Amino acid sequence: MSESRKAELHYDGKKYEIPVTVGSENEHALDISKLRSESGLITIDRGFKNTGSTKSAITFLNGEEGILRYRGYSIEELAEKSNFLEVSYLLIYGELPSKTQLDDFVNEITSHTLVHEDVKAILDGFPSRSHPMGVLSSLVSSLTAFYPKSLDPNRSLDEINGTIIRLIAKLPTLAAWSFKNRMRQPIMYPKNKLNYTSNFLHMMFGLPTTETEINPVIASALDKLLILHADHEQNCSAATVRIVGSSHASLYASISAGIAALWGPLHGGANQAVIEMLEEMKDSGGDVEKYISRAKDKNDSFRLMGFGHRVYKNFDPRATIIKKAADDVLDQLGIKDPVLDLAKKLEEVVLKDEYFKTRGLYPNVDFYSGIIYRALGIPTDMFTVMFALGRLPGWIAQWKEMRETTEPIGRPRQVYTGENLRSYSDINKR
Ligand code: CMC
């Protein structure tokens, strides 16, 4: 990484030299960390649209060309040839595992899937209509109570590894239990002879009980979805995990915050919002054009959910892969669903529409992932939980990198626009 190039800033008759950092994919960034002490200036960039918050070696993303790579491996190749736990290992530890390393990793995870029985008491305290994302975030945070050593900021990386394994092992159990709470159904315990994805389906639906009972098209689509969601560099939830962790809060607390950030409809919550939007369209007569006009109307806050992305302005490479998986699942299951038919119609019309073309608004991964989850019978408010299961290794990798590189506490500045100093006036004189 070269640090020798410099940019110049001329301001108020003075010249300032700003070092340029160049990344391994030739991305150039102005390093303004000393700008304020030298010139008194800060930078402002609401929503961090053009601000690199860190240097990271985990995920490379080029939104203009639709490139996404984990640790240098293309998402297309990983989705085709790898599986979710292998990709998790790659993201967290930096390299693809050997056979022995992967076996050990999978065995460790498989032997930690149970959660403490007292977690059930916490779960029982939630009302039945609780959104599973809120329950999941709370349960993950509650793990600090069961593993208090995780709160020690001076733990070695070896000790932190125990927390990493527990999180990957227990998140499917907690996720399925948050669903069972919502349905007021008895919880299902993990069945460790099943693989990661099948075990989750088993805890949700009671099936499969053996690996052979799962339809391979479904197993492959779910595994692909988890892989495609596994990391996405400095997005809203990953940045949240890093910033919470930068205060030396525990990994459990940081992941709990990441789940909360993912929940919103502009981020991971979009997959739920897509199906709710399509259902509303269907119930109001299926007039796709009406909704498209609303999305274009600047006086209407309505947006087409599942379209557009902060960084992808040509196409979302994850969406290309998952669209194919969605088609396979619908074909395989022979599903006829007016809501899914409407999705196809909407996609067709939007892709030809000038408003969306000129703004680089294409279907994103959440447009198609919602379609697959619905076809599999996963309830709509569990969709974002599925996203969280996939994103977990990315959050862990981001947190671990932040700690390993001893990143300073995250603390942005601001430009104050409020009142200047004024005197307090007595309440009777106001
Ligand atoms: N429907 C209609 N217009 C849109 C949409 C949309 N979904 N998305 C963006 N626009 C318009 C927006 O009105 C603006 O138009 P103009 O330039 O005329 O003012 C222009 O496109 C740029 O939008 P922006 O809000 O400045 O873009 P952003 O980068 O801040 O927002 C986004 C990105 C994903 C929040 C936004 O596209 C959106 O709200 N999409 C719908 C929600 C969604 O599907 N989110 C999931 C993202 S994928 C999962 C993940 O990685 O989190």
Side-chain angles (χ1 to χ4, degrees), residues 84-98:
F84 177 62
L85 287 185
E86 186 180 53
V87 167
S88 301
Y89 187 102
L90 169 71
L91 283 167
I92 295 168
Y93 303 109
E95 294 295 339
L96 282 170
S98 66

Side-chain angles (χ1 to χ4, degrees), residues 34-54:
K34 296 207 171 70
L35 184 63
R36 184 171 178 276
S37 58
E38 288 171 359
S39 67
L41 288 168
I42 63 162
T43 55
I44 186 155
D45 178 20
R46 280 178 3 121
F48 311 120
K49 291 197 175 196
N50 197 41
T51 294
S53 58
T54 191

Side-chain angles (χ1 to χ4, degrees), residues 49 232 265-268 270 295-296 298 302-311 313 316 318 355-356 359 361 364-366 387 391:
K49 291 197 175 196
H232 213 225
L266 296 189
H267 191 10
K296 295 181 194 173
K298 293 292 162 209
F302 174 78
R303 281 191 167 196
L304 281 186
M305 300 317 273
F307 289 86
H309 200 277
R310 168 61 62 79
V311 288
K313 298 299 176 194
D316 179 341
R318 304 167 301 171
Y355 172 95
F356 291 91
R359 286 169 180 76
L361 303 170
N364 57 49
V365 69
D366 279 341
F387 192 154
R391 184 54 56 89

Side-chain angles (χ1 to χ4, degrees), residues 120-220:
K120 277 175 16 195
I122 304 176
L123 185 71
D124 285 343
F126 284 96
S128 61
R129 285 281 132 205
S130 306
H131 195 289
M133 280 297 273
V135 177
L136 186 65
S137 172
S138 310
L139 293 183
V140 168
S141 187
S142 81
L143 292 178
T144 51
F146 297 96
Y147 304 100
K149 285 190 187 145
S150 66
L151 296 169
D152 177 2
N154 300 315
R155 296 176 93 211
S156 68
L157 281 174
D158 257 7
E159 289 167 316
I160 290 174
N161 204 44
T163 308
I164 292 175
I165 296 291
R166 282 198 182 92
L167 266 166
I168 300 177
K170 294 180 199 311
L171 202 70
T173 311
L174 297 176
W177 285 13
S178 68
F179 165 67
K180 289 295 187 194
N181 171 71
R182 171 192 175 281
M183 306 297 283
R184 275 295 185 252
Q185 289 175 357
I187 55 155
M188 303 282 293
Y189 284 95
K191 232 184 205 352
N192 287 343
K193 65 177 184 189
L194 296 173
N195 72 29
Y196 197 75
T197 324
S198 305
N199 202 3
F200 174 69
L201 290 176
H202 162 75
M203 288 186 284
M204 290 273 292
F205 303 119
L207 284 171
T209 51
T210 63
E211 217 52 75
T212 48
E213 282 173 21
I214 185 160
N215 180 329
V217 173
I218 292 175
S220 151

Side-chain angles (χ1 to χ4, degrees), residues 57-61 67-79 82-84 86-92 94-96 223-233 312 318 321 365 387 390-391 393-394 397-398:
I58 303 169
T59 289
F60 172 66
L61 194 165
I67 295 173
L68 177 62
R69 295 182 201 142
Y70 299 159
R71 302 283 189 187
Y73 297 97
S74 82
I75 192 68
E76 290 79 8
E77 200 177 7
L78 291 172
S82 187
N83 60 66
F84 177 62
E86 186 180 53
V87 167
S88 301
Y89 187 102
L90 169 71
L91 283 167
I92 295 168
E95 294 295 339
L96 282 170
D223 209 57
K224 276 197 178 62
L225 270 171
L226 294 179
I227 293 174
L228 295 175
H229 282 108
D231 195 47
H232 213 225
E233 51 119 291
Y312 296 122
R318 304 167 301 171
I321 302 169
V365 69
F387 192 154
R391 184 54 56 89
Q398 298 285 345

